[in-house]
Amino acid sequence: MNRDLTVGKPGRVLWQYVLPLFASIVFQQMYNIADSFIAGFFLGTEALAAVGNSYEITLLYIAVAFGCNVGTSVVTARYFGLHNYRELKTTVYTALVSSSVIALALTAIGIFATAPLLRLIQTDAVIFADSREYLLIYICGFLFLMIYNICTGIFSALGDSRTPFLFLAVSSVANVGVNILFVTVFDMGVAGLAWATFLCQGLSGVLALLAVLRRLRPLRAEDRPRVFCGARLLEIGVVALPSMIQQGFISVGNVVIQGFINGFGPAATGGYAAAIKLNNMTITSVTALGNGMSNFTAQNIGAGKVDRIRAGFRSGELLALVIAVAFTLLYYLAGPALLELFIRDGNVEALDIGISFLHIVAPFYCVVAFKLIADGLLRGLARMRLFMAATLTDLTLRVLLSFIFSRTHLGITGIWLSWPIGWGVALVMSLLFLRYVLRRDLVKDNR
């Protein structure tokens, strides 16, 4: 059901809208966590390391899909707020056509670049073959991932956070079942994990596309929408490209950091692979709230209701705080037990490394949560240069400090310390930028 985010009490409207988004992210993470969990549980630490090693490269592709999702969502939400359904549909069709072309091009490039990328991050010979096979299968299913992300962005723009949740809930549960089937019954190893994701994500992408096309039918436009429009593509690109670049740089930075970690041996790679899955559950959960903040802001900007944005921001920060504190307590109290779900072969070194990461990073989840909500508001206002400046500062600091600290007596612990430092500096920047926008730009726009 489409939902107008420009009416009703801002805090209540935002909370009701973003809670299903948060639940959707939990199920989205089941895709990635299922692979690592089943790899560690049934196949051992080396298989877990292979999946985790490949995951850092898959984030490069996820970055592109995320950027297209955000760009499409923000522009669609703006036209929905304006009740301009002709341009809304034109935006949707343009996004689907252009993103499909991008996905196919990146798939072709990825097939040839897989082995060089794995060598670039110093992948251990023991896990190289499994990493390469997993990555190739994943890349071949990228078109489905892209279409699915575009469709969920459209649903979110229309104020419907429930439909993406239902899609993810069903497909994530199915993915776990197919993963176990392929690994335990068909004995397909690491490749079985990738094929399970390929099949379930492919089905989700097709069904989501059909649902979007059906959802658009009742939105009556006076003139016939265009299948492709350069002006709408430019609008999408203004938001999507910075988001892609931002996520891409983060992914490249993570790949570089993965290379530093790989230098400490397979146990370090496996321990980090398990811990980073748990960490990413937190980050992506708050990112979902940030995306909700973007759509809430875009709809209200389209409707000219600027005052609602400030109230929505305060509610978003409160919800982010609750989620961040919950994850911090969970990982401090149950972190070792959660890591043991992934590392089933009793590798003490890998467990110790994973616990060390969580104990250093988890106390600072509130910091990154506040930053991601502020970033969501900046995206919704299309203040992309400010948004990118803070994010790229965070990434640059993390990469540089990881390189410097890991070569001191701190060793691998030095890499973990780079996370909270980068988050802290970036949060200060985001809040200063946001203060400038809210106090000056929005006042000017509202006159």
Side-chain angles (χ1 to χ4, degrees):
M1 183 179 77
N2 301 338
R3 183 171 188 169
D4 192 342
L5 303 178
T6 65
V7 296
K9 190 175 180 180
R12 181 180 299 173
V13 169
L14 183 63
W15 278 57
Q16 291 175 345
Y17 173 60
V18 300
L19 282 175
L21 290 178
F22 168 69
S24 298
I25 287 295
V26 173
F27 279 101
Q28 177 68 56
Q29 285 301 299
M30 283 183 65
Y31 270 105
N32 298 323
I33 288 179
D35 287 359
S36 294
F37 171 75
I38 294 169
F41 191 92
F42 292 106
L43 302 174
T45 299
E46 289 182 1
L48 171 62
V51 172
N53 192 58
S54 303
Y55 176 68
E56 296 301 341
I57 297 177
T58 66
L59 288 178
L60 293 170
Y61 282 81
I62 293 173
V64 177
F66 173 80
C68 291
N69 171 293
V70 172
T72 302
S73 188
V74 168
V75 177
T76 303
R78 196 177 300 148
Y79 284 115
F80 186 66
L82 287 167
H83 300 290
N84 187 338
Y85 299 137
R86 177 178 183 268
E87 294 307 321
L88 184 152
K89 290 185 176 183
T90 298
T91 299
V92 170
Y93 300 149
T94 299
L96 288 169
V97 170
S98 57
S99 62
S100 296
V101 173
I102 292 170
L104 291 173
L106 288 177
T107 298
I109 293 171
I111 290 173
F112 294 101
T114 296
L117 282 173
L118 289 172
R119 293 190 188 97
L120 184 65
I121 62 172
Q122 304 177 50
T123 302
D124 195 283
V126 175
I127 62 173
F128 189 91
D130 280 342
S131 292
R132 183 173 183 272
E133 189 171 19
Y134 180 93
L135 197 53
L136 279 172
I137 296 169
Y138 181 94
I139 288 172
C140 287
F142 180 58
L143 175 63
F144 299 120
L145 176 65
M146 177 71 91
I147 290 174
Y148 177 80
N149 272 271
I150 293 296
C151 291
T152 56
I154 293 165
F155 281 124
S156 297
L158 298 176
D160 179 7
S161 53
R162 183 172 175 269
T163 299
F165 164 70
L166 293 176
F167 270 116
L168 272 172
V170 174
S171 59
S172 297
V173 172
N175 183 54
V176 173
V178 177
N179 265 316
I180 295 173
L181 177 69
F182 283 2
V183 170
T184 60
V185 178
F186 297 142
D187 195 24
M188 296 173 65
V190 171
L193 303 173
W195 280 117
T197 299
F198 178 96
L199 293 174
C200 293
Q201 206 137 250
L203 181 61
S204 297
V206 172
L207 292 177
L209 176 60
L210 294 175
V212 161
L213 296 177
R214 182 177 180 181
R215 180 64 60 83
L216 293 179
R217 288 176 190 169
L219 300 179
R220 301 297 179 186
E222 294 183 3
D223 298 317
R224 185 174 182 178
R226 290 157 288 181
V227 175
F228 182 85
C229 173
R232 297 293 80 76
L233 179 60
L234 183 60
E235 277 190 81
I236 294 171
V238 167
V239 179
L241 282 175
S243 296
M244 275 187 219
I245 293 170
Q246 174 245 357
Q247 287 294 317
F249 270 102
I250 289 176
S251 299
V252 169
N254 287 337
V255 168
V256 173
I257 293 172
Q258 180 74 57
F260 299 155
I261 294 166
N262 288 347
F264 288 90
T269 303
Y272 174 72
I276 201 65
K277 294 290 185 180
L278 298 177
N279 178 75
N280 286 345
M281 174 75 80
T282 307
I283 302 304
T284 52
S285 296
V286 185
T287 298
L289 304 185
N291 292 345
M293 192 74 236
S294 295
N295 291 323
F296 176 85
T297 302
Q299 277 201 24
N300 281 282
I301 285 292
K305 299 182 178 181
V306 174
D307 290 339
R308 292 174 56 82
I309 295 173
R310 293 184 178 87
F313 176 67
R314 289 191 293 270
S315 297
E317 293 277 60
L318 178 58
L319 183 56
L321 176 63
V322 170
I323 292 171
V325 170
F327 274 112
T328 298
L329 293 175
L330 175 65
Y331 293 162
Y332 249 83
L333 297 176
L338 292 171
L339 289 170
E340 286 177 355
L341 295 176
F342 297 90
I343 304 170
R344 300 291 298 179
D345 57 2
N347 192 314
V348 177
E349 184 183 358
L351 279 170
D352 288 343
I353 287 171
I355 292 169
S356 172
F357 175 86
L358 290 178
H359 282 184
I360 291 173
V361 170
F364 296 91
Y365 283 156
C366 292
V367 174
V368 71
F370 289 150
K371 177 193 178 297
L372 291 172
I373 295 298
D375 287 349
L377 202 155
L378 289 171
R379 279 199 308 267
L381 296 170
R383 303 305 199 270
M384 301 306 295
R385 286 184 295 180
L386 300 179
F387 157 70
M388 285 186 63
T391 301
L392 296 183
T393 299
D394 168 26
L395 172 65
T396 302
L397 279 174
R398 275 194 283 143
V399 172
L400 288 177
L401 294 178
S402 292
F403 175 77
I404 295 169
F405 289 168
S406 65
R407 281 154 175 76
T408 68
H409 68 281
L410 294 171
I412 199 168
T413 302
I415 299 177
W416 311 155
L417 292 172
S418 69
W419 259 265
I421 295 174
W423 288 344
V425 174
L427 170 62
V428 172
M429 293 179 65
S430 291
L431 291 179
L432 289 175
F433 292 153
L434 195 56
R435 181 181 180 185
Y436 169 81
V437 171
L438 292 177
R439 287 195 173 185
R440 299 181 65 175
D441 290 10
L442 285 188
V443 172
K444 187 186 298 181
D445 293 343
N446 206 31
R447 286 176 180 171

